[in-house]
Amino acid sequence: MKKLIRLLNQAEQHLDNLRDYRGSDHRQVREEIQKFFTVENQIRALSNVRNRLEKIALSSFESNLSRYSQMACLILARSGWPGSASIVLKGACQSTGAIMPLLHLAPSSETISALETEIARQQEKDSPEIAVYALVEALTRQRSAEVIPTVLSYIQGNSDWWGCASILSQLVTLMPEPGLLVAQEIEQQSQGTLSLTALGLRAVYQSQDAYEHLLSQVGKNNAEEETIYFWLGNIPRQESLDRLLPALNHPSEDIRLKVLTSLSLFGDRQVYRHIIPLLSDASIDVVEQATGTLWDWLDEDLQEFEKSCKFKTEVSLMSESQSEFEKIARARLETMEPNRRYCGKQLYLPIRHLHQIESGILPRYHWYQWVATTGIYKPFREWGDLLDNFTALDELIGWYQQNAAQFEVGYYYYHGRKCSARL
């Protein structure tokens, strides 16, 4: 048991390191993932390990083993061993194993059956032991068409539109072909956030017609502006830019923040021109995000400025330093060509997002922009779980290495085709 505990500790440390490395060099992230896989294989090779993991997974709070229960559940969940799903579900019910391992259950018909049975059981309870949303989310991770009737029933019978929209997004990213058929049905049968999420997913993955329809929604549906802007921000085209830039002056701080996040990935001169005034925004959160975005863009030009600049918060600048910062930004603008995408001073290769996804930088935004730009995708977990996405990203990097030369630097693309004119 001592060796098993030591290995569980090591596995936990590697996952903690992954969280610490988010946003840093993707090579560090890959190294930690490989280390986790190595330790996981060492655990599986131990004698009688399944019984010992089950004992730890179901240990009571009073037991000294309880602190290792979540990692034991995770190893069991990923193992694919017969009966493991039932143990992980029991662990989640008694809270020692928590919810996270459910999202890593190895796909199998047995696991699908166990999850669907648990969904039905929890739906009958006044106070569910496990949130039904979490179980449905785990079911989508099985990546099987078998789960669609249950997932669709949950979406259609639930009034939590944001939760249902999240489930639909995960269904499409994990199972694009059947998921997009569900999205088309949901778009037609629902309204508001859920319908627009379905439309946005189809615009990213599938359809020029869906994209044009999404563009037409700007100004028509004020109650759902945030959803409309989010999906337009995931499709880097000049037509999207035309609708998004005015939203940087939106009365809602949340909308300004989300639009700013999306636009920071466009790399267009017009984007930076509109972000500079946000350094004086009424919201400190918007000011700090605008400062960080411009700082990343100007990094090569800030060596001298960094030596003397003064901050009034951790990120926002004192007024004198802000004035100098703005001068540097406006000088950079003069060097940029209109209607072209940049990364720093260089014209932008429009399919460079994968390394950002690997290092955990805005994985949802980068993933959707990758799909909209290339039209190429694999099953993907949109909330950025690198353990699950490792294989898909490796395959896409192989595609990228073979096809990067087809994309001209600095241009907008949609599904692999250069965008030459506005609609």
Side-chain angles (χ1 to χ4, degrees), residues 169-203:
S169 297
Q170 293 181 64
L171 187 68
V172 170
T173 55
L174 288 164
M175 295 184 286
E177 282 71 27
L180 286 166
L181 293 176
V182 172
Q184 189 167 8
E185 182 177 345
I186 292 294
E187 182 188 340
Q188 295 168 353
Q189 295 180 353
S190 62
Q191 55 188 354
T193 299
L194 188 54
S195 179
L196 287 167
T197 296
L199 175 62
L201 286 162
R202 292 203 311 110

Side-chain angles (χ1 to χ4, degrees), residues 14-27:
H14 292 312
L15 290 189
D16 286 344
N17 289 344
L18 276 179
R19 287 185 281 271
D20 293 341
Y21 290 156
R22 279 192 185 279
S24 62
D25 192 320
H26 70 279
R27 288 168 291 192

